[in-house]
């Protein structure tokens, strides 16, 4: 069977949120081609001792998705373009031109799984749902994850930065809000650490399915987490549903350009004394986020780094 291949040109720094918009338009599965250097964890997952130097990062990403020949590609492309135009209103996503070609049949949804294997974040074992726990790891904190078509395997530095901050601040009384929850991994880590309750929001409907499945496989009690779809930045209904002044921790692992408009909104959801954990910040954007956090009246308590990525943690006094 032949497939129609569509390749979208965008900026590498926003590829994750552009992929989320593609999912909102009904696109399942995206290939990423960019020149962003591999992280150390990426290299470890490839089981190669020495990798050749790649080309210099030019900041461009090519995102490819595939539609069956009999799919209504005009309708899907129209939805894709509509989502991109909405995204462009608050984020620089580059030119976002789309080119079309054809390719042979592949299992685009599942082929990536051969590259996702269990790994550690300090003393936490992250393991895909299709792998078994080794006997020597049975006493560790274990997080079973199958992201499906949502985001969040735990392999990315930004997720790991958030996980380390959660370990510092979660208590048995913690009410947590997880903005851009994706696969639910940060909320699941918090609940495994003993948090009382979590609420997750996301723009991607796939997050609902992925999070619920991951809650179940991690034996999280029913009712310990709620997930809702919507943009908390500008949707009053979502803000009202999430609630005000009730969260001990708000985690937002997104992008700097989204954290800037999010932060003055999310202050209203935090309790007095609540902790705001942000990540998804490339190092060049560190000061931009720090300034946004301070402008919202929050106190910066810690800035942490892993490779080129940054997490800013603040407190509502």
């Amino acid at each position: 069977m032949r497939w129609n291949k569509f390749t979208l040109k965008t900026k590498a720094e926003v590829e994750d949120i552009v992929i989320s918009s593609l999912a909102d338009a009904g696109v399942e599965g995206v290939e990423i081609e960019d020149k962003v250097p591999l992280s150390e964890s990426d290299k470890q997952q490839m089981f190669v001792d020495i990798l050749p130097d790649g080309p210099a990062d030019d900041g461009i990403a090519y995102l490819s998705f595939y539609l069956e020949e009999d799919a209504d590609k005009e309708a899907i492309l129209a939805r894709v373009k509509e989502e991109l135009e909405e995204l462009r209103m608050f984020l620089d996503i580059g030119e976002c031109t789309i080119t079309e070609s054809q390719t042979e049949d592949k299992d685009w949804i599942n082929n990536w799984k051969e590259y996702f294997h269990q790994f550690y974040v300090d003393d936490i074992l992250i393991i895909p749902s299709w792998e078994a726990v080794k006997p020597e790891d049975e006493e560790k904190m274990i997080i079973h994850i199958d992201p499906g078509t949502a985001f969040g395997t735990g392999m990315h530095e930004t997720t790991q930065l958030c996980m380390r901050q959660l370990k510092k601040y979660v208590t048995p009384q913690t009410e947590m809000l997880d903005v851009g929850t994706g696969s639910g991994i940060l909320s699941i880590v918090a609940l495994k650490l003993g948090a009382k309750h979590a609420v997750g929001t996301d723009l991607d409907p796939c997050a609902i399915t992925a999070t619920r499945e991951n809650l179940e496989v991690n034996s999280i009690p029913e009712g310990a987490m709620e997930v809702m779809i919507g943009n908390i930045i500008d949707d009053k209904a979502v803000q009202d549903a999430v609630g005000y002044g009730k969260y001990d921790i708000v985690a937002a692992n997104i992008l700097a350009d989204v954290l800037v408009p999010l932060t003055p909104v999310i202050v209203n959801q935090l309790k007095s004394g609540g902790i705001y954990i942000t990540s998804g910040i490339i190092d060049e954007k560190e000061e931009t986020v720090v300034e946004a956090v301070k402008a919202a009246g929050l106190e910066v308590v810690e800035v942490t780094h892993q490779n080129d990525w940054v997490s800013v943690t603040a407190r509502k006094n």
Side-chain angles (χ1 to χ4, degrees), residues 142-163:
I142 300 169
I143 308 295
H144 298 273
I145 286 294
D146 183 350
T149 54
F151 291 103
T153 62
M155 291 179 64
H156 201 280
E157 292 94 332
T158 61
T159 310
Q160 295 179 21
L161 285 165
C162 287
M163 290 169 63

Side-chain angles (χ1 to χ4, degrees), residues 1-20:
M1 177 178 177
R2 295 181 67 83
W3 293 67
N4 293 307
K5 177 180 179 180
F6 299 91
T7 301
L8 185 153
K9 183 179 180 181
T10 185
K11 301 177 71 173
E13 64 178 324
V14 298
E15 61 190 28
D16 287 351
I17 195 166
V18 171
I19 292 170
S20 179

Side-chain angles (χ1 to χ4, degrees), residues 213-272:
E213 290 175 352
N214 287 321
L215 288 168
E216 182 177 356
V217 77
N218 283 283
S219 301
I220 302 297
E222 188 173 350
M225 183 181 182
E226 304 166 48
V227 191
M228 61 186 74
I229 295 299
N231 189 344
I232 197 170
I233 294 176
D234 58 14
D235 191 330
K236 182 66 162 52
V238 176
Q239 296 169 11
D240 291 345
V242 166
Y244 303 95
K246 62 182 288 188
Y247 294 98
D248 303 282
I249 295 176
V250 173
N253 179 22
I254 312 179
L255 288 168
D257 290 338
V258 181
L259 290 169
V260 171
L262 171 68
T263 299
V265 173
I266 219 65
V267 167
N268 300 307
Q269 273 68 41
L270 275 166
K271 287 181 180 177
S272 179

Side-chain angles (χ1 to χ4, degrees), residues 48-68:
V48 176
D49 291 329
I50 300 174
L51 287 170
D53 291 332
D57 182 12
D58 58 5
I60 301 298
Y62 294 92
L63 310 178
S64 297
F65 58 94
Y66 300 81
L67 303 176
E68 296 180 20

